[in-house]
Each structure stands twice: as structure tokens, then as C-alpha cells.
Amino acid sequence: MQRLEPGSVIGILGGGQLGRMIALAAAQLGYRCCIFSDVANSPAEHVSEKTIVAAYTDLSALDIFAASVDVVTLEFENIPEEPVKYLAEKVAVRPGPNVLATAQDRVIEKKFLNKIGIVTTPFEPVANLEGLEIAVEKVGRPSVLKTTRFGYDGKGQVKIDPDTGLETAFSQMGKGPGILEGWVDFALEISVIVARGMDGEIVSYVPVENRHVNHILDTTIAPAGVSPSVAAGAGSIARQAAEALNVVGLLAVEMFVTRDDEILVNEIAPRPHNSGHWTIDACAISQFQQLVRAICGLPLGSAGRHSDAEMKNLIGDEVKVWPKILEEANARLHLYGKSEIRSGRKMGHVTRLKVRAGRGER
Ligand SMILES: Nc1ncnc2c1ncn2[C@@H]1O[C@H](COP(=O)(O)OP(=O)(O)O)[C@@H](O)[C@H]1O
Ligand SMILES: [Mg+2]
């Protein structure tokens, strides 16, 4: 396995908090980071040696980036595919552009998963208003209309209830094309994060429960309170998807568990995931360090946990409670260094360890 020695430079596409936490994990192992972001003063920039601020489509900036780094990874999937392909001709990109191409389009993603035998939410592609009318006939109501690309934190999504007008819904979605998905009356939402190395080795974190507020992840509970068979099923879905995509790095798989314990995949993300932030504080090796190990050709670490944990995102004004969190025993505070608080913006998170008696005294 071709190993990148500590001291090598990891290029990260995207400058958000995920990039920041990758860079911190990289630093721990002696790697240096170069961020490529289309905005200045990003959370990842604050903790990295070098940052290139340019549009993702700026080829000369991409040339400079490629020449500055030994390997490239990405911290969000809403990057156009072409620049990533362009980079991959010059430097190793892990996970590769093929993974990004599949994961950044909800229709391609679901078709791919179905093809390898993984059950997803029922869906129909929606090209235009007429297509939406036909799709609603097939999928029924309630359902949810989403943009196929570039959505996050519930952006670009419109719920179609029994009385929702389709013309309004279609225009509310924003830039199409879209996808209509059957609304799942789930018992709970879970996710599984797996890391896969260059030699195909896979480690899998335990399934966690994710609670959303206003379509944004609010709380992750590790482990999820699911039956052993659901936990095993969820784990094997994530492994199977990572193998079929030939991922080198991380794959997060978001799933719905129905009331009769059926697992439906919602979406996949080939990068660190918000529902894995708890691994920094409750596991020997975090999702971020696993990513660094995978893309640098190092052996993966254990995905086992030493504590159960609950991760709470600090969204918008919620971050103002940070001094109180410092007073709590077993609470681990993470602030992302974002200068401006905006509603719906992820400003930080706190992981509360559920430490067993006798182990967590102050
Ligand atoms: N088909 C669905 N049925 C029920 N809830 C859904 C469905 N699709 C999305 N949601 C809810 O909205 C959240 C965000 O949707 P998701 O498709 O994961 O988009 P993103 O995370 O990219 O914004 C989900 O985690 C879930 O809580
Ligand atoms: Mg999601």
C-alpha cells in the first residue's frame, strides 16, 4: 500500500467545520493541510497551513492547489464534478470523482443503491411541473419534493401534503431537476459511518440515532436504540455501499427505520458526517482520523467506543450557552470559529459522554 509519510500535505476541498475537524485530526498525525474554498475566513482556514480562495471552477487555482498537495479529499459533496475530475488527473483524489458523482445526485444515488439491492425510500424523478403531477400520481401523498443536487440541511425541499398545490410546490423547490420521495413515517432515523482503506479494509461505527429539528440535525444518540438485527442490517448496508463504490475514505449512510424494523436508505455522503462528531470524544479513533488514515494509506484504527454519548449541535443562537457547557462534567465543547451567528447555521457542537459510575468524577 502506497503510504504518505507524515509531513505530507492533505488538500481539502471545502472550508467548513468538517474541513476544520479533518485538519485538526491530520495535524495530530503530523500531516499538513491546504484548504481550497470559495469563501475566505472559513473555519478550516483558521487551523490550516495554507488556503486557496477561488471558485471551484477556477482551473489555474486548481493547478496551484494540485501542485501544493499530496492527496485531495473533500468535506462536502456540493462541488461540481468537473473540477474534481480535473484534479484527479493531477493528484490522487480520495474518495474519487466517481463516488462524488453518485452521491451528489439524489436520483443517481438511489438508482445505484437499488441496483446493488439496497432498499431506499420510494422515488420518482421530476423534470418539470408535468413530471411532478405524474410523480405524485405514482408515489402518492404525503411525499417530499427535493432538488436532486446541492441540497443540504433540508434546503430545496418541499413537503407535499394532501392539500399542497403542485405548481406552488414546484416553484418553491428552486432550481430543478427534482425528485419526489414517498414520505416515510419512520420510528427513528439512524446513520452508519464506515471507513474504508486503500487495501479495502473496512471499519464501521455503531449505528446512531439522529433527531432533526426543522430538517437540520439537532441531536445524535450513540448508540441508537435499535434491535441487534437492525444494527447488523444497517452496518452491512453501509459496508456494501462503500465496497460497491470503491470508497477510499469515509461513507456515511442515512437511513429510516420503520415501525416494523424495515431499513430504508435516505441518502449517502462520502465524507465525515455530522452524526459522527461524537466519535472524536467517545471513540479511540474518530471518524476524522480514520479519514486521514484511509487517504494516506495507513492502517485504519478501531471504530469501537469507550463511552456512550449524545452529541447536540449548537445551531444559531444556541451557541451562546457555551460558557455554561464548560461547567458541565463530561461535556466536550467544540466551537467552529464562525464570526457571525445566523439562524440555522451550525456554530459548534457539544458531546456529552455517558460515563459509567466511578469513571467520570471531576
Ligand atoms: N422521504 C422522507 N420521509 C420522511 N422524512 C424525510 C424524508 N426525506 C427527508 N426527510 C427528513 O428531512 C431530513 C433532511 O433530508 P435529507 O434528504 O437527509 O436532506 P439533506 O440532509 O441533504 O438536507 C431527513 O433527515 C429527515 O428528517
Ligand atoms: Mg441528510
Side-chain angles (χ1 to χ4, degrees):
M1 193 155 64
Q2 167 203 355
R3 185 174 83 185
L4 283 178
E5 297 298 316
S8 305
V9 182
I10 298 173
I12 303 174
L13 289 167
Q17 62 270 13
L18 300 176
R20 179 183 178 94
M21 290 182 272
I22 299 170
L24 292 170
Q28 189 182 344
L29 291 182
Y31 293 95
R32 294 143 62 200
C33 286
C34 175
I35 306 302
F36 192 110
S37 171
D38 61 357
V39 288
N41 194 24
S42 63
E45 176 174 347
H46 297 163
V47 299
S48 296
E49 183 174 285
K50 184 172 173 185
T51 300
I52 295 169
V53 179
Y56 290 109
T57 47
D58 180 337
L59 296 188
S60 58
L62 289 170
D63 286 342
I64 297 170
F65 181 61
S68 316
V69 303
D70 298 298
V71 63
V72 170
T73 194
L74 45 102
E75 65 109 46
F76 78 134
E77 63 268 45
N78 292 340
I79 301 173
E81 192 191 339
E82 293 71 33
V84 181
K85 273 194 182 149
Y86 180 79
L87 275 175
E89 286 165 15
K90 296 166 187 286
V91 59
V93 177
R94 300 178 184 135
N98 65 307
V99 183
L100 179 72
T102 303
Q104 73 179 184
D105 183 299
R106 294 185 196 276
V107 171
I108 296 174
E109 172 180 87
K110 287 196 169 61
K111 284 187 175 163
F112 162 78
L113 291 166
N114 290 169
K115 202 174 82 192
I116 62 168
I118 292 175
V119 183
T120 60
T121 50
F123 70 97
E124 283 293 325
V126 171
N128 46 35
L129 179 58
E130 199 192 342
L132 176 60
E133 284 159 3
I134 297 165
V136 171
E137 291 288 307
K138 289 188 184 162
V139 176
R141 301 177 187 234
S143 43
V144 53
L145 177 65
K146 305 178 181 179
T147 53
T148 55
R149 288 166 171 263
F150 303 137
Y152 67 97
D153 287 347
K155 290 186 175 56
Q157 301 195 10
V158 190
K159 177 128 184 258
I160 311 279
D161 282 315
D163 52 359
T164 304
L166 295 187
E167 210 173 320
T168 324
F170 190 75
S171 64
Q172 273 172 356
M173 172 181 73
K175 198 170 173 299
I179 176 173
L180 186 76
E181 295 178 15
W183 188 256
V184 182
D185 180 26
F186 52 78
L188 77 173
E189 277 194 80
I190 61 170
S191 58
V192 172
I193 298 170
V194 294
R196 185 165 179 273
M198 276 163 66
D199 58 357
E201 178 196 6
I202 291 184
V203 296
S204 173
Y205 290 98
V206 74
V208 296
E209 178 182 350
N210 299 315
R211 295 189 181 158
H212 291 73
V213 175
N214 300 327
H215 298 271
I216 304 177
L217 181 66
D218 184 73
T219 304
T220 293
I221 297 153
V226 291
S227 68
S229 72
V230 168
S236 69
I237 286 171
R239 279 167 186 265
Q240 191 194 345
E243 262 163 16
L245 284 166
N246 198 18
V247 168
V248 174
L250 297 172
L251 188 74
V253 183
E254 300 177 11
M255 311 172 217
F256 301 126
V257 181
T258 66
R259 281 162 219 289
D260 38 17
D261 270 1
E262 197 191 350
I263 302 170
L264 304 173
V265 171
N266 173 31
E267 61 171 350
I268 61 176
R271 54 163 170 80
H273 195 260
N274 194 170
S275 70
H277 291 358
W278 67 280
T279 63
I280 300 174
D281 297 305
C283 296
I285 305 299
S286 73
Q287 62 165 344
F288 299 100
Q289 186 177 130
Q290 302 283 16
L291 173 62
V292 171
R293 289 182 181 221
I295 64 174
C296 293
L298 308 181
L300 302 178
S302 160
R305 66 186 188 285
H306 53 73
S307 306
D308 292 350
E310 207 171 292
M311 188 285 309
K312 167 82 180 77
N313 272 334
L314 302 173
I315 296 169
D317 280 337
E318 286 174 353
V319 74
K320 292 180 178 165
V321 304
W322 70 265
K324 277 260 164 259
I325 293 171
L326 294 181
E327 292 170 16
E328 281 178 50
N330 302 322
R332 311 291 174 100
L333 178 67
H334 299 254
L335 298 176
Y336 304 150
K338 296 182 183 177
S339 43
E340 195 194 335
I341 297 179
R342 284 199 295 261
S343 127
R345 194 175 200 202
K346 291 172 179 167
M347 305 299 297
H349 72 267
V350 53
T351 298
R352 296 187 168 95
L353 299 180
K354 296 180 193 161
V355 179
R356 274 169 246 142
R359 283 217 270 144
E361 294 89 350
R362 294 192 81 165

